[in-house]
Amino acid sequence: MKGDQIPETHHIARYCRGDAVGTGAAFLLRTGEDYVSVNWLESLNLETRDAEISEIRKVLGKKLTLGSKARIAVLNVGNTRQYVISQTTDNRSLPFLHEPLPEDESHSGIHNTRCEDEMLVAELIAETVLEDYPAR
Amino acid sequence: MPQEAKLEAYRKAFAAQRFISEGAGDEDEDTYSPNWFTGAATTGGGIASPAAMSGVERRIYNAIRRVKARSQPNLLLVLKTHSALYLDSLANLYELMPAEHFAIGPATTTNEDLSTTLWLGANNAGIFNDFDLAWDASSEIDYALVISCRSLTWRYADQLLSRLKDLLDCAREESPDGPGLSKESLASFCDFVRTVSFLILPELALTPDGNIYARWKVDRRRLFSTQFLPNGDVRFVVFKPNEMHEDRVVRLSGLTTADALMQEIKSQGAAEWMLDPHEG
């Protein structure tokens, strides 16, 4: 349901364009965006990570033109949240909230990244990427 | 920065340059009034030094100074009425290439004509060799990219061009109507590179808004990451070892201007992993 907190043990996937995966550039907000768009993998109720990623490719492919060099990065919610809290001077807490869309039920957001230290927060998030997959 | 604001910054810098080189009182006061400058760029009743200008103003001011020094009035006329986008790149090219390539004929009047003239000058000088580029207003960023990179004396200029071209292609592939690569961010990045030619080539990416994101990373404890904003500012993040605790990392972020970024790099101790030890 919209606004639900994603459990700390769960995982999210982030579409990273070009060669941005692994850098803070992949987790910066576009002007006008309120949160970093991600997909909640466990909400798909699939058996394997490969199946989850495959489903995410399908869903994203309906909304975006998937770049030939783009990647899908996977992060653990709890790891990322705790890492950012521990490494920021204001102990910044990032809510990972479910933000379902009509054709993208697993759509979610990383909130509270917009701040004076947005780039630092983005670099910290980038450090917690567990693995990444081709976007197509 | 909106186009009008850039043009206004250009006009201010141009007025200041004439004010300084030709002296006050020779011309209509409205044209050369120090009131052209506002805020930090105005001191007392006179024009402040270039150091007090904003990044855009200073870039244009320096470009005009260089072009004027070469006594090329037609080019100056072109620059006077053209947008500020490529002024410093063209001025740099002008220093690097034989002057006849930029001996522009009778002044033209529209921005489209001027852009074409500048493109032809650069084309004659072989700037676009290896690139299948024809002048077209919709491909402005392509030719700005080539001109900007080829005007650099940096040893990695060709790699930079190739890398940014790839990133621009990726951005277009994913979002044909998106921001692509910001021309202003590109100009700001090139400004920085000109201040330190023995810089190591960074990892490069584009932000969602099309700004250049350059990153020098050695390991998880040593990182200098930068984002070149369209207004000439640079956001940066530093990760560096804590000298008192070997297992800890100092993490800092800040905001400066492209021409002052090198000072930050030195003061943060990042120069040792960002500069080529065999040069400089």
Side-chain angles (χ1 to χ4, degrees), chain A residues 80-89 91-92 124, chain B residues 251:
Chain A
T80 303
R81 275 176 45 75
Q82 290 308 316
Y83 191 61
V84 174
I85 288 172
S86 70
Q87 300 296 323
T88 47
T89 52
N91 303 119
R92 182 155 289 264
L124 292 172
Chain B
R251 302 183 200 277

Side-chain angles (χ1 to χ4, degrees), chain A:
Chain A
M1 211 165 80
K2 182 173 167 58
D4 281 353
Q5 187 103 29
I6 302 177
E8 303 252 321
T9 53
H10 285 199
H11 298 81
I12 54 95
R14 166 73 171 168
Y15 176 82
C16 304
R17 61 187 254 184
D19 290 333
V21 69
T23 78
F27 298 96
L28 291 173
L29 292 169
R30 188 187 299 274
T31 302
E33 279 181 338
D34 292 329
Y35 53 81
V36 177
S37 281
V38 295
N39 286 87
W40 178 5
L41 295 180
E42 282 78 0
S43 74
L44 298 169
N45 292 315
L46 295 169
E47 302 257 310
T48 65
R49 180 58 42 80
D50 283 346
E52 290 168 346
I53 297 300
S54 179
E55 179 61 21
I56 294 300
R57 285 189 190 112
K58 278 187 213 161
V59 171
L60 293 179
K62 289 178 187 166
K63 301 196 294 184
L64 313 166
T65 303
L66 302 180
S68 51
K69 292 185 181 172
R71 309 285 295 181
I72 294 173
V74 175
L75 298 88
N76 172 266
V77 173
N79 277 354
T80 303
R81 275 176 45 75
Q82 290 308 316
Y83 191 61
V84 174
I85 288 172
S86 70
Q87 300 296 323
T88 47
T89 52
D90 61 354
N91 303 119
R92 182 155 289 264
S93 175
L94 306 180
F96 283 58
L97 305 179
H98 193 199
E99 303 282 353
L101 297 172
E103 292 191 359
D104 187 0
E105 184 58 31
S106 68
H107 184 254
S108 303
I110 307 176
H111 291 252
N112 203 25
T113 63
R114 185 166 317 272
C115 57
E116 205 169 308
D117 275 344
E118 182 188 354
M119 231 178 105
L120 176 59
V121 171
E123 283 289 351
L124 292 172
I125 296 174
E127 283 201 48
T128 64
V129 170
L130 296 174
E131 53 192 352
D132 61 270
Y133 300 83
R136 67 182 196 196

